[in-house]
Every structure is written in structure tokens, then in C-alpha cells.
């Protein structure tokens, strides 16, 4: 039983932490978020140069062969700066799906460019009305000759508009909610029949709604087994959920630090407000949330790539469920303890609180993961 | 990071499991798993079995008769004992006064008391709280006045757990009223059979005789029963409380209770299906299970770090007792109206509390009420928050 990071992981963490602290200050981030693209190509190039984009990929694909724990280290530090760069979308979700299901030719075509920072991916699985269910797929892929014709809609595709290649789930067989009959496809952003509408999300990110209208694809666009795409999709989304939980740890720790700082410096009734017991106890509860979340995230990171499906589902869903509940609780407390300033855009705390709250809405919310945990624990 | 138990730890778990399976008396485990009240003899019998094996003092150093186990091994031992339905080890001697005697006691005290704690020959109880001194412990008033070769003790202690069985009590007493409250306190070992000691039961609201008031009326205590120096009792008391908070987490017992809760939820019905399949109940149960899983990881994170837990242990006390209480609440809720029938006889001797109720239902509402004590004792959870706010957060 060992919860410590290796020396290598500590060095990597420290380098990333320094980068985020120095180059991702509040003002810098504000400008990046307000830019047309919504994230910084310069920051992305630096992350590529540091090797961060290579972390989860196999050495054969040009990656570092990192574990779930290595990924956790990266995401925690990105969370500390509430970085908006498409690490989750490109590296973990899109890249994860390609790594989980891709043929050697597909991996070779996509991953080295991704690792070099030159290619963006996105994972388009969510549909209107499907909430968080991966198997609830209405988008259809009809066979035509050697290839397929795709039609349907995908909602809230994280960083969809800046992705060069989209990984899209579509139904090749069965009824709307069948587990069998889902297939993954690689779709170029510029392909005929693809339309993307880009928008801001309330937590500072970018997402897009995707409409596929008779998009013609060759047989080489099929990613993984025909009709058997749900398993690799679930693997990629689970890795994404574990990574998102690790990001939440960084967000929570930074938000707690900001709040403590405020409690120590803000004075009312002639003393720092942190002297009042009513506020002290709330600050302690924020710490208890942080420690519990850190613990469960270690478990999720360790099990995120487990071959044992049940163990993986149980650990990832436990973490995402707790992050949803505890993250919201911490965000609410931080806002309340900052008083009126907590509900303005002036202080960083508000931006952290928004991101932390909305993490619950990506990749399965607390209720959804609690139910999935119960099913895996029965 | 590697969250698996090592092969050595797994082998250790198997060894403990086999021993407990072979030696834990069935009548005792049936009581624990059925939430029945235990008698003195149930505790002592199991403690003597562990003593015979050399496993009674998991946390003690080897030179005093302890096991020398690592913190993780101690946790494994605790989990296996709890899972099998072993009674908890009464902590007042083993985990509370013993570490204080080892650290601050005289050679004579070590030689006299430690072996008798190991063998369960002495049953100890704790004399800290007083009617006017709960969370504000330093305001305590029980006085010890030196007279020749002994102290004369007068005053009253309260919340004294299982004092009705006790041979010895460790007490915080005031030996000097002229200094700051914390500086006038001493740590005294008192014979419960001495003339002038009276025990009066205080029934908890589940009608259990678990705690008592203890009165001292001109009780003579030999000077040699003072631990360490006069006036240093507060320091020793704080040392002891640090030991108490990690033990109070109760992860092993909570895992057992979760398993029992799932059995009950499978047997009870709602809307013509098992309660375990009811979406609302399922969510509530899963949330507690997730909290417990996170707590287990937090505990292991603390235990495996090899540094002695400091004020962070208060986090374990807060969260541990919250989980314990949530489990007792869900168990009571799982019964629906079957939680209502009450029978002391059923809780103490077995059977059901009403003709149409199952046996397992009888103790569960009482247990819910009894367990409210956990966020109050051992330093209330509000006191724990004060400790964290001051010592961890620096507020």
C-alpha cells in the first residue's frame, strides 16, 4: 500500500505546477478564455514540448506509456490553473478512443500528430435526450458499398469546433438503447455534410453541437469493431472521467487555498473573519471534502485502465459521484465565504467555483455515477 | 503509487482470518452480527483468546508485549476481526491509559499495570468528563489533595463507559487551583474498589446501561499512583486523545455494517420488490458506500505514510463517525414500521421485539439512537473542527 508519487512523477508535477503558476495567471487565463478560439495555441505547444500530450499513449504510438496515476498528476496541475486547453478532449477522450480501438494504421495516422501538438481530436458521443447514457444512440450509420453514410446529431461535444478529427458514435444495428450495434467512426471536421456550431460553456470552455447530414465515409473510417464500439467508448469515457476527477482535485485545492487566504485577510468587526467559528467550521468541511476526494481519486486513477471492467466502473463511478457532490459543496461554501465578492467576476474564486460546479455535468453526473456504482457493487 | 496490499500483507490477512474463524466463539459473533448487547464476559473471553495468541496489543511496541505490527497490518487485523463479528477491544486500558503509562509512567507502574492490561485482569475506565466539564475539559473540578503518603480525592466524573465492570480508573484531577486551569491538572490512577468510590448508572435513551457517574468521597490514593509529574496531566491527556482519534474511525466495523445493511435491504420489500432495488434507497445506500470507500482510502493514506498522524486525525474522527451514523440510520430506515417495536429483552437476549417482526429488526432503532454518541464523545465533532481550524488551517 503506497500512496506516494515516484520521483519522476514528482519532477513532472513540479515542472507543470511551475508552468501553470507562471504562465497561467488569472489575467492571462481571462484573455485566453475571451479569445476567438477559446484556448491558447501557445500554451498547447508548451504542453507538447514538455511531453504532457504524450503521457497516456503507448510507447509504440510515440507516447510515454504513462499510467492512470501519471495522467492524474497532469490533470491535477491543469486543474490548479483551471486551464481551458483541450487536454481532456484531445488527449484523453479523442486520443483515448483511438488508442483503445484504433488499428495500427489509424493510430499511426492520428497519434504522433496529436502528441506533437499539431492535431486536435474530440469525442462526439452525447445525444439530445440521451443525458449521460453512452448506449443511447440514434445517429445512424447506413452501409453503402464498402463504406457508410452517417446522419444524426451530437450535443455538447467538448472542443468539437477546433478538432481536426471527431470520433463519433453511431448506430449500425439494433434499437436506440441497445448496447450492441454501436460503432465508432473517425470523421474529418471538414467532411461534406458535417456542420458544427461552436459555443461557450458556463465553466469557461468551448463545446459544439454537431449535425451529420449524409456524411459519406470509407471503410477505413470505422474505429474498432463494427457493432462493438460501446466497450472502447466506455473505456475512453472512463479514463476521461477519472482524469476529470483528478482535475477537480486541483480545482478544489486551489479554491480552498483562495478561500483560506480570504478568511485570513478580510476583516470585519475588527478582526479577520477567519476568527469566527461559524466560518472556521465551514472551512474545515471544505478540507474534509478535499481529503476525501483526493483519496477516491487515487483509487480511480489506479483502476482507470484496469482490465477488470467491474473494478474499473466501480472505482471511476465512486470518484465521479463523490466529486460531483463534494465539488458542488466546496464551490457553494467558497462562494458564501467570499461574501459579495464571491458572486462577481472580479476574484479568481468565482471562476474556480463555476468550473468545479460544472464538472459534475461532464461525462456523467453524480446521480448517474451513483447508480452505476450501485450496479457495479451489487 | 500502488494501492494493492503486498503479498506479505495478503498472507498476514489470511493468517488473521483463519485464526479468527477458528477461535472466535460463535455465541459471541452471533451477538455482534445480530447487534445484541454484549456482557462483560463476552469482551473478556475474546480478549483472553487474543492475549493467548499474542495479538491483544496490536499497537504496542514489542518490548511491552505488543505485536510490532505496522499501521497497515493493524488495520488489516481490525478489518478481519470486525468482519467476522468479533467484539471491539475495550480501549480504555489497551489504547488509552497504556500508551500514557509507557510514555510517562514510572517503572513500577509499567511493571504493575501493563501485564494486567494485556491479560484483561484489570478492566479500566476513563475519568475525564465531569458534569460541568465536557468539551471544556480543562475546567474540571475533581480535587486531589496531598496528605502524607497519599492523595485524598473528592469530586464527580461522568459519562464513564462501562465503569460498572471496572477495576481501575484513570482520572484527570485538580491538584493546584492557583495556576492556569490547564497547569493545575494531574493524571491519577485510582482503584475502583477503594472505599469512597460509588458508581451510579446513567441510562442512555436506548435504555442501555453503558455509561455511569462515578463519585469520589474522600478516596485515598497512594502517591505512587500519580503518572509523571504533578501539574502535567493536561499534556498527558492530549497525548492520549491523539491516540483515540484514529481508532475511532471504525472503517472495519463500518464495512461489516454495510454488508449487513445490504442483507437487510435485500430482505425488506417496497413496491413489491426488494428494497435494495428501490431507486431512492439504492442512491442513499450507494452514497454512504462511496463515502466509506473514500474514508478507507483516506485512512490507508494516513496509515501508510509512516508519519504519526497529527491533527489530521481529526478528519478521520469526523468522517468516520458521520459514516457510522449514516449506516445506523439507513438500517433503521430499511425496516420501515418494523423499526417501532422495542424490547430490552430482545436486545439483550435475542429474539424479536414483536410477534410479526424479524429478529434482526429488534436492536436497530435503539442502535441508531445509541450511535448519536459517536459525534459527541472522544472530543465532539465541533471540537475536532476547532482543532483542525487552528492547527491545520491556521485560522
Amino acid at each position: 500500500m503506497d500512496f506516494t508519487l515516484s520521483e519522476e512523477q514528482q519532477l513532472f508535477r513540479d515542472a507543470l505546477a511551475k508552468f501553470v503558476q507562471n504562465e497561467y495567471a488569472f489575467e492571462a487565463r481571462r484573455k485566453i478564455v475571451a479569445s476567438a478560439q477559446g484556448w491558447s495555441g501557445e500554451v498547447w505547444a508548451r504542453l507538447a514540448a514538455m511531453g504532457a500530450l504524450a503521457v497516456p499513449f503507448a510507447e509504440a504510438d510515440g507516447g510515454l506509456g504513462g499510467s492512470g496515476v501519471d495522467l492524474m498528476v497532469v490533470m491535477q496541475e491543469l486543474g490548479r490553473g483551471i486551464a481551458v486547453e483541450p487536454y481532456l478532449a484531445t488527449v484523453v477522450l479523442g486520443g483515448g478512443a483511438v488508442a483503445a480501438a484504433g488499428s495500427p494504421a489509424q493510430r499511426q495516422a492520428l497519434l504522433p500528430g496529436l502528441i506533437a501538438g499539431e492535431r486536435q481530436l474530440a469525442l462526439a458521443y452525447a445525444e439530445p435526450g440521451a443525458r449521460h447514457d453512452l448506449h443511447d444512440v440514434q445517429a445512424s450509420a447506413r452501409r453503402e458499398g464498402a463504406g457508410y453514410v452517417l446522419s444524426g446529431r451530437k450535443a455538447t461535444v467538448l472542443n468539437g469546433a477546433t478538432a481536426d478529427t471527431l470520433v463519433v458514435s453511431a448506430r449500425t444495428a439494433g434499437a436506440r438503447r441497445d448496447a450492441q450495434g454501436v460503432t465508432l467512426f473517425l470523421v474529418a471536421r471538414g467532411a461534406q455534410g458535417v456542420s458544427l456550431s461552436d459555443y461557450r460553456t458556463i465553466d469557461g470552455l468551448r463545446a459544439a453541437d454537431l449535425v451529420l447530414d449524409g456524411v459519406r465515409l470509407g471503410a477505413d473510417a470505422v474505429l474498432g469493431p463494427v457493432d462493438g464500439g460501446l466497450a472502447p467508448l466506455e473505456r475512453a469515457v472512463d479514463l476521461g472521467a477519472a482524469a476529470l476527477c483528478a482535475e477537480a482535485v486541483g480545482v478544489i485545492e486551489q479554491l480552498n487555498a483562495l478561500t483560506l487566504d480570504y478568511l485570513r485577510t478580510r476583516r470585519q468587526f475588527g478582526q479577520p473573519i477567519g476568527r469566527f467559528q461559524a466560518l472556521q467550521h465551514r472551512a474545515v468541511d471544505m478540507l474534509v471534502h478535499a481529503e476525501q476526494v483526493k483519496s477516491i481519486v487515487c483509487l480511480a486513477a489506479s483502476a482507470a485502465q484496469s482490465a477488470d471492467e467491474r473494478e474499473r466502473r466501480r472505482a471511476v463511478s465512486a470518484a465521479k459521484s463523490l466529486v460531483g457532490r463534494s465539488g458542488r459543496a466546496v464551490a457553494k461554501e467558497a462562494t458564501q465565504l467570499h461574501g459579495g465578492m464571491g458572486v462577481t467576476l472580479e476574484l479568481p474564486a468565482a471562476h474556480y467555483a463555476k468550473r468545479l460546479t460544472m464538472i459534475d455535468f461532464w461525462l456523467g453526473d453524480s446521480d448517474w455515477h451513483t447508480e452505476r456504482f450501485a450496479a457495479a457493487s451489487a | 503509487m500502488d494501492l494493492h496490499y503486498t503479498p506479505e500483507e495478503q498472507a498476514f490477512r489470511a493468517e488473521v482470518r483463519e485464526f479468527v474463524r477458528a477461535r472466535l466463539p460463535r455465541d459471541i459473533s452471533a451477538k455482534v452480527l445480530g447487534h445484541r448487547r454484549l456482557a462483560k464476559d463476552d469482551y473478556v473471553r475474546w480478549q483472553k483468546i487474543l492475549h493467548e495468541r499474542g495479538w491483544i496489543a496490536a499497537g504496542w511496541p514489542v518490548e511491552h508485549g505488543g505485536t510490532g505490527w505496522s499501521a497497515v497490518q493493524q488495520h488489516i487485523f481490525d478489518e478481519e476481526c470486525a468482519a467476522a463479528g468479533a467484539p471491539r477491544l475495550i480501549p480504555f486500558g489497551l489504547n488509552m491509559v497504556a500508551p500514557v503509562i509507557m510514555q510517562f509512567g514510572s517503572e513500577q507502574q509499567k511493571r504493575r499495570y501493563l501485564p494486567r492490561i494485556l491479560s484483561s485482569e484489570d478492566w479500566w475506565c476513563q475519568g475525564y468528563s465531569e458534569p460541568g466539564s465536557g468539551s471544556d475539559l480543562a475546567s474540571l473540578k475533581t480535587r486531589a489533595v496531598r496528605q502524607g503518603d497519599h492523595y485524598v480525592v473528592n469530586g464527580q466524573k461522568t459519562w464513564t463507559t462501562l465503569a460498572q465492570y471496572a477495576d481501575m480508573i484513570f482520572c484527570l484531577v485538580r491538584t493546584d487551583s492557583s495556576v492556569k486551569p490547564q497547569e493545575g491538572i494531574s493524571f491519577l490512577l485510582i482503584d475502583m474498589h477503594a472505599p469512597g468510590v460509588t458508581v451510579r448508572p446513567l441510562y442512555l435513551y436506548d435504555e442501555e446501561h453503558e455509561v455511569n457517574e462515578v463519585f469520589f468521597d474522600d478516596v485515598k490514593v497512594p502517591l505512587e499512583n500519580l503518572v509523571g509529574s504533578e501539574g502535567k496531566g493536561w499534556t498527558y491527556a492530549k497525548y492520549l486523545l491523539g491516540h483515540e482519534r484514529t481508532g475511532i474511525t471504525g472503517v472495519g466495523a463500518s464495512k461489516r455494517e454495510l454488508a449487513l445493511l445490504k442483507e437487510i435491504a435485500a430482505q425488506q420489500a417496497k413496491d413489491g420488490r426488494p428494497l435494495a432495488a428501490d431507486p431512492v434507497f439504492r442512491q442513499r445506500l450507494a452514497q454512504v458506500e462511496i463515502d466509506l470507500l473514500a474514508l478507507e482510502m483516506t485512512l490507508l493514506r494516513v496509515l501508510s505514510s509512516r508519519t504519526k498522524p497529527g491533527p489530521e486525525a481529526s478528519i478521520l474522527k469526523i468522517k468516520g463517525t458521520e459514516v457510522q451514523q449514516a449506516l445506523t440510520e439507513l438500517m433503521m430506515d430499511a425496516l420501515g414500521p418494523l423499526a417501532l417495536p422495542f424490547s430490552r429483552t430482545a436486545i439483550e437476549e435475542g429474539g424479536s421485539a414483536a410477534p410479526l417482526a424479524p429478529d434482526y429488526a429488534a436492536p436497530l432503532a435503539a442502535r441508531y439512537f445509541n450511535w448519536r454518541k459517536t459525534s459527541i464523545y472522544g472530543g465532539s465533532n465541533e471540537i475536532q473542527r476547532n482543532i483542525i481550524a487552528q492547527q491545520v488551517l491556521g485560522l
Side-chain angles (χ1 to χ4, degrees), chain A residues 1-4 264 277 281 284-285 287 291-292 295 302 314 318 321-322 325 367 370-371 375 377, chain B residues 1-2 4-5 262 282-283 286-287 289-291 294-295 297-298 301 304 319 382 385-386 388 393:
Chain A
M1 196 61 65
D2 176 15
F3 284 79
T4 57
R264 289 196 194 102
Q277 196 181 40
H281 285 197
V284 169
D285 288 339
L287 174 74
E291 293 302 316
Q292 285 281 86
S295 301
S302 300
R314 191 167 185 269
S321 165
L322 191 66
R325 271 191 289 145
D367 287 347
T370 306
E371 172 53 33
S377 303
Chain B
M1 188 170 302
D2 180 1
H4 298 95
Y5 288 101
K262 285 184 174 180
R282 232 169 115 88
Q283 280 268 334
Q287 285 190 356
E289 185 170 358
I290 290 167
D291 283 347
L295 178 67
M297 290 296 127
T298 304
R301 200 148 60 84
S304 65
K319 205 65 214 178
E382 286 68 33
R385 286 181 171 87
N386 289 349
I388 298 171
L393 301 181

Side-chain angles (χ1 to χ4, degrees), chain A residues 77-342:
Chain A
E77 296 314 317
L78 294 178
R80 249 177 261 283
I82 39 174
V84 294
E85 279 58 40
Y87 193 90
L88 182 65
T90 288
V91 177
V92 188
L93 292 172
V98 171
S103 66
Q106 288 167 328
R107 295 207 304 270
Q108 199 49 45
L110 295 171
L111 297 183
L114 184 164
I115 290 167
E118 291 152 6
R119 179 183 287 278
Q120 294 289 332
L121 297 183
L123 182 61
Y125 71 91
E127 296 197 0
R131 259 182 120 79
H132 300 290
D133 289 339
L134 308 183
H135 62 278
D136 189 340
V137 177
Q138 294 186 83
S140 70
R142 178 169 50 80
R143 250 188 188 287
E144 197 179 84
Y148 290 85
V149 180
L150 257 64
S151 291
R153 301 177 301 161
K154 296 287 173 182
T156 51
V157 182
L158 181 60
N159 294 108
T162 48
D164 303 294
T165 306
L166 297 138
V167 177
V168 179
S169 60
R171 190 155 285 290
T172 40
R176 173 175 167 181
R177 290 179 58 82
D178 286 353
Q180 269 298 312
V182 175
T183 306
L184 299 179
F185 293 91
L186 294 168
V187 179
R189 181 185 46 183
Q192 183 104 39
V194 171
S195 60
L196 280 157
S197 37
D198 182 36
Y199 48 82
R200 298 165 61 204
T201 60
I202 194 162
D203 49 352
L205 304 180
R206 293 299 179 96
D209 284 356
L210 168 66
V211 177
L212 304 156
D213 184 12
V215 180
R216 287 172 192 283
L217 300 172
D220 59 348
V222 174
L223 184 72
V226 173
D227 296 343
L230 192 61
L233 176 62
E234 196 186 322
R235 278 214 293 281
V237 172
D238 268 348
L239 188 63
L244 192 51
C245 290
E247 180 185 338
V249 170
V251 181
I252 288 173
E253 288 195 330
Q254 188 61 24
L255 185 52
N256 282 359
L258 290 168
T259 306
L260 269 182
D261 197 41
Y262 192 79
L263 291 176
R264 289 196 194 102
T265 48
R266 168 74 177 168
R267 296 177 71 87
Q268 288 288 273
F269 304 102
Q271 56 185 326
I273 60 172
R275 301 295 283 272
F276 297 113
Q277 196 181 40
L279 307 195
Q280 288 181 349
H281 285 197
R282 299 172 80 151
V284 169
D285 288 339
M286 292 166 77
L287 174 74
V288 174
H289 281 299
E291 293 302 316
Q292 285 281 86
V293 165
K294 258 159 78 175
S295 301
I296 203 85
V297 164
C298 290
L299 186 71
S302 300
Q305 291 167 319
S306 169
D308 181 341
E309 205 167 65
R310 196 181 159 90
E311 183 198 347
R312 186 193 77 208
R313 284 180 181 155
R314 191 167 185 269
V316 169
S317 282
K320 191 67 172 58
S321 165
L322 191 66
V323 160
R325 271 191 289 145
S326 287
R328 275 197 211 195
V330 167
K332 281 181 199 163
E333 291 294 5
T335 303
Q336 181 70 20
L337 294 181
H338 274 85
M341 291 306 287

Side-chain angles (χ1 to χ4, degrees), chain B residues 46-60:
Chain B
W46 175 237
Q47 288 180 178
K48 288 190 166 168
I49 290 168
L50 286 177
H51 176 51
E52 191 190 306
R53 180 68 183 78
W55 285 357
I56 186 68
W60 292 21

Side-chain angles (χ1 to χ4, degrees), chain B residues 255-370:
Chain B
K255 285 171 79 171
R256 174 192 70 217
E257 292 304 307
L258 178 76
L260 292 171
L261 168 62
K262 285 184 174 180
E263 282 176 25
I264 293 169
Q267 288 172 52
Q268 289 294 315
K270 184 180 170 190
D271 291 336
R273 61 183 172 192
L275 181 64
D278 175 66
V280 177
F281 195 82
R282 232 169 115 88
Q283 280 268 334
R284 289 179 63 199
L285 193 154
Q287 285 190 356
V288 176
E289 185 170 358
I290 290 167
D291 283 347
L292 175 56
L293 186 58
L295 178 67
E296 183 182 3
M297 290 296 127
T298 304
L299 177 67
L300 287 167
R301 200 148 60 84
V302 171
L303 295 181
S304 65
S305 73
R306 286 170 221 287
T307 51
K308 239 187 161 31
E312 304 82 22
S314 292
I315 293 174
L316 296 172
K317 199 268 167 167
I318 293 172
K319 205 65 214 178
T321 54
E322 284 178 1
V323 167
Q324 290 169 35
Q325 291 181 338
L327 285 167
T328 61
E329 191 164 5
L330 277 172
M331 254 189 222
M332 176 171 74
D333 288 348
L335 298 176
L338 296 177
L340 290 164
F342 178 77
S343 157
R344 262 181 85 169
T345 317
I347 297 175
E348 279 159 13
E349 290 159 28
S352 72
L356 300 181
D359 286 5
Y360 66 74
L364 296 181
R367 196 160 177 280
Y368 162 79
F369 287 111
N370 183 281

